[in-house]
Amino acid sequence: MLRYIATRFVIWVPSVLLVMMAVYALAFYGAGDPIKLIFLRAPGDVAYNPERIEAIRESAGLNKPFIEQFGYYIWNLLQGDFGNSLSSGRSVWAMVKAAAPVSFKLALCSIVLTALVAIPLGMIAALNQNRRLDYIILGSALFLWAIPAYVAGPLLMVGLIVLLPGVNVPYGWGGVFDIRILLPLIVLSFQPIALIIRQTRAAVIEVLSEDFVRTARAKGVPEIVVALKHILRPVLTPVVTQLGLIMITIVNGAIFVELVFGLPGLGRLTVKALTNSDYPVILAITLIGSFLVMISNLLVDILYPLLDPRAADARRSR
């Protein structure tokens, strides 16, 4: 297992380097000059001082060729230095360290909510295949999947204000146990719930045709016992494989959810960095996002043999 994990890390490193180089190239060639943008937003005529702009660009190392800038950034990164923000001058690590807990807590709550809601609904839909309840659950899942977070967030906020005029707008962050987290959590979980409902339904329908399920039913085992003891574990195997895709969906949705609901997380920091062409912050968040997806896929590879012994036998036979 340790050798397998080390192999995955070795494969992951060049992939992340390519992603970071692509992001750096997009920022370098297409996002505009961050120093000039800072001056353009400043009051007065300071934006029309090219000598000062060039001096600051030189002190920040932005007058060097692309490859040299990127190589210098990677060298500093290997030493644990994420650099400083070009727009605020603050340490990038300090900015990420302040914003990351909010996003991580929100993502973890979203995964828990997705599992608690989607897996039971998917099983209920499969056990009532081609009946009215199945159509309602599957239709609702398709509807949730079709609504992006940047549409669902404002609509739910407006709907809450219209239906409950006396309720305060859920804006800002007060922790996991604050009631303001409910609406952004629901919006962020829409698409993951839809994905897992469909995946669970398909997996349960496949398992229902297995001999051990038919044997348990023929012996008169109660349906709830059949579902929890004989169906649930085989169903978790294909569901767990979607963890990486769920993480990607949550990371993408968090950008809009945090912006709409005023959450001081990585998503809001990403929008601000993109607006200011803040290379160091953009690259740091890209690195964190790549690491989260990689860890999710690695967890899937570790959990899969535990849920399905056949996968463990196949891995040992290689």
Side-chain angles (χ1 to χ4, degrees):
M1 179 61 72
L2 290 177
R3 186 177 65 179
Y4 177 77
I5 294 174
T7 303
R8 292 301 299 266
F9 269 101
V10 170
I11 296 173
W12 175 72
V13 169
S15 302
V16 171
L17 283 176
L18 288 174
V19 170
M20 293 183 68
M21 181 176 286
V23 173
Y24 202 99
L26 289 173
F28 182 86
Y29 291 109
D33 187 345
I35 305 300
K36 188 175 290 186
L37 288 174
I38 294 171
F39 276 85
L40 287 173
R41 294 189 179 98
D45 297 329
V46 68
Y48 300 98
N49 190 338
E51 292 81 8
R52 188 177 178 188
I53 291 176
E54 188 60 33
I56 296 177
R57 186 186 291 116
E58 183 176 355
S59 65
L62 297 179
N63 61 335
K64 298 176 181 178
F66 166 73
I67 293 297
E68 188 175 348
Q69 284 190 39
F70 184 71
Y72 183 71
Y73 175 80
I74 295 298
W75 174 252
N76 288 337
L77 191 63
L78 292 174
Q79 301 178 60
D81 182 11
F82 284 81
N84 295 324
S85 169
L86 298 177
S87 59
S88 66
R90 293 178 58 198
S91 168
V92 172
W93 176 246
M95 297 170 67
V96 170
K97 189 177 179 180
V102 176
S103 297
F104 290 163
K105 290 175 184 177
L106 188 64
L108 182 60
C109 291
S110 178
I111 292 174
V112 172
L113 179 63
T114 299
L116 293 177
V117 173
I119 293 177
L121 286 178
M123 293 184 68
I124 292 171
L127 294 173
N128 294 274
Q129 185 182 7
N130 296 330
R131 298 177 186 171
R132 180 176 297 178
L133 187 58
D134 179 29
Y135 295 146
I136 292 174
I137 294 175
L138 191 58
S140 300
L142 293 173
F143 178 74
L144 292 179
W145 181 258
I147 304 178
Y150 58 84
V151 174
L155 284 179
L156 284 181
M157 186 177 288
V158 171
L160 182 66
I161 295 172
V162 172
L163 295 176
L164 301 172
V167 176
N168 293 328
V169 177
Y171 192 84
W173 174 258
V176 174
F177 299 104
D178 187 2
I179 194 171
R180 288 177 295 177
I181 196 179
L182 288 179
L183 209 57
L185 181 60
I186 292 172
V187 173
L188 189 61
S189 303
F190 271 176
Q191 291 191 337
I193 286 174
L195 175 66
I196 296 304
I197 285 177
R198 296 165 63 188
Q199 185 70 34
T200 303
R201 178 183 179 275
V204 171
I205 290 174
E206 183 178 352
V207 171
L208 286 175
S209 62
E210 297 289 341
D211 292 336
F212 64 89
V213 175
R214 290 200 295 264
T215 302
R217 283 176 166 172
K219 290 181 178 180
V221 178
E223 195 68 23
I224 185 67
V225 177
V226 173
L228 296 178
K229 186 176 180 180
H230 298 280
I231 297 177
L232 184 59
R233 182 172 176 177
V235 164
L236 288 178
T237 304
V239 170
V240 166
T241 60
Q242 301 297 318
L243 183 60
L245 183 57
I246 290 173
M247 184 57 66
I248 294 173
T249 304
I250 290 175
V251 170
N252 292 336
I255 296 176
F256 304 104
V257 170
E258 292 178 7
L259 191 64
V260 170
F261 293 100
L263 305 180
L266 291 176
R268 193 175 181 182
L269 185 62
T270 300
V271 175
K272 187 176 180 180
L274 290 171
T275 304
N276 295 327
S277 298
D278 205 338
Y279 305 166
V281 178
I282 295 172
L283 287 168
I285 295 174
T286 301
L287 180 63
I288 292 172
S290 302
F291 184 75
L292 286 175
V293 173
M294 186 275 298
I295 291 296
S296 300
N297 290 327
L298 187 61
L299 285 175
V300 169
D301 293 335
I302 293 173
L303 292 175
Y304 197 88
L306 300 177
L307 296 172
D308 189 354
R310 294 172 297 180
D313 296 337
R315 183 176 295 175
R316 282 193 293 266
S317 64
R318 292 178 183 174

